[in-house]
Amino acid sequence: MSLGEAPVQVVAVSAGTSEPSTTRMLADRAAQAVVTRLRDSGRNAAVRVIELAPIAAEIAQTLVSGLPAAAVQEAIGHLAAADALVVSTPVYKAALSGLFKSFIDVLDDDLLIAKPVLLAATAGSARHAMVADDHLRPLFAFLRAIPAPTSLFAAPEDWGAADLSKRVDRAAGELAALIASGVGRDIADAGWAAYQHTFGGNATRAQRTGKDVDLDSDLMRLARGEA
């Protein structure tokens, strides 16, 4: 690591609600594996965890009002500044957690463009094993993020199995490789101006405010009733 190089910021998002939470455990396990991979390659890294359960009321308030509550805005800021994400959700009735989806629904569409993401899900039955790929992967494709090829899923019987450890290690290696390659930054930098961005959004390179509005354009003059 070069002197003064900022550590890689890995943000883990957990939508688990129980205590202890297997959803949080899977997120922690995956994030730590990513950090280990990065450190083994000479890159410093740090993990920040966003627990959605404690800010569930604020997420609901934001979803209804359209105005991010302070706790939600703080979480959004961490996502915007992250170099990579690990997202972990429980599965209820063959679908993503409503809490997880509500949080995603309050994010700007351009917040996660080209950001590497490791997808993870937990459930009480192996019947839900495909939810990470059938539900999470299309969701993050819509957000134009870059999911790692390997997703993670854990049912109760998986926690003591060697296969889960192997899968975590493989997924972590893939995410670490995406981070190290810089492909996300290259894609975002090359195509940023061509994306349709949220006005006044939270994405680091897409923030526009009222100061950016050309009030002297023909359309604005027409809106003011001027000839």
Side-chain angles (χ1 to χ4, degrees), residues 48-102:
R48 181 185 297 275
V49 178
I50 299 174
E51 288 261 27
L52 299 185
I55 61 171
E58 288 86 349
I59 292 171
Q61 174 189 336
T62 301
L63 194 62
V64 172
S65 69
L67 301 173
V72 176
Q73 185 60 58
E74 181 181 7
I76 291 172
H78 294 322
L79 293 185
D83 295 299
L85 306 179
V86 174
V87 298
S88 184
T89 178
V91 178
Y92 300 121
K93 295 180 173 62
L96 304 178
S97 153
L99 174 59
F100 181 83
K101 184 56 166 63
S102 294

Side-chain angles (χ1 to χ4, degrees), residues 80 110-115 184-193 195 197 201-208:
D110 54 2
L111 186 71
L112 304 182
I113 290 175
K115 197 159 301 236
R185 291 188 302 274
D186 292 344
I187 291 171
D189 289 342
W192 200 264
Y195 294 119
H197 298 297
N202 293 285
T204 306
R205 286 165 290 186
Q207 292 184 0
R208 299 181 64 201

Side-chain angles (χ1 to χ4, degrees), residues 9-227:
Q9 296 295 323
V10 178
V11 172
V13 179
S14 169
T17 56
S18 58
E19 185 59 47
S21 165
T22 56
T23 302
R24 169 68 190 269
M25 289 168 56
L26 186 57
D28 286 344
R29 188 167 171 177
Q32 189 53 55
V34 173
V35 167
T36 298
R37 283 295 193 114
L38 289 169
R39 288 177 177 170
D40 287 348
S41 67
R43 300 286 301 277
N44 196 8
V47 175
R48 181 185 297 275
V49 178
I50 299 174
E51 288 261 27
L52 299 185
I55 61 171
E58 288 86 349
I59 292 171
Q61 174 189 336
T62 301
L63 194 62
V64 172
S65 69
L67 301 173
V72 176
Q73 185 60 58
E74 181 181 7
I76 291 172
H78 294 322
L79 293 185
D83 295 299
L85 306 179
V86 174
V87 298
S88 184
T89 178
V91 178
Y92 300 121
K93 295 180 173 62
L96 304 178
S97 153
L99 174 59
F100 181 83
K101 184 56 166 63
S102 294
F103 178 65
I104 296 299
D105 284 347
V106 305
L107 303 181
D108 297 341
D109 288 349
D110 54 2
L111 186 71
L112 304 182
I113 290 175
K115 197 159 301 236
V117 183
L118 193 161
L119 309 175
T122 61
S125 168
R127 293 169 61 200
H128 300 302
M130 289 303 296
V131 167
D133 286 313
D134 285 350
H135 293 244
L136 279 175
R137 197 169 294 277
L139 177 60
F140 282 86
F142 172 81
L143 294 171
R144 292 165 291 182
I146 305 178
T150 299
S151 61
L152 301 178
F153 174 81
E157 62 270 21
D158 293 320
W159 289 100
D163 282 349
L164 180 60
S165 295
K166 292 177 182 177
R167 196 170 179 87
V168 168
D169 187 60
R170 183 167 75 242
E174 291 168 357
L175 192 70
L178 286 171
I179 296 168
S181 71
V183 64
R185 291 188 302 274
D186 292 344
I187 291 171
D189 289 342
W192 200 264
Y195 294 119
Q196 182 178 359
H197 298 297
T198 303
F199 181 78
N202 293 285
T204 306
R205 286 165 290 186
Q207 292 184 0
R208 299 181 64 201
T209 68
K211 294 180 181 178
D212 299 308
V213 177
D214 182 4
L215 298 176
D216 198 40
S217 67
D218 293 339
L219 183 61
M220 292 303 295
R221 286 196 296 272
L222 182 62
R224 294 196 299 267
E226 298 177 4

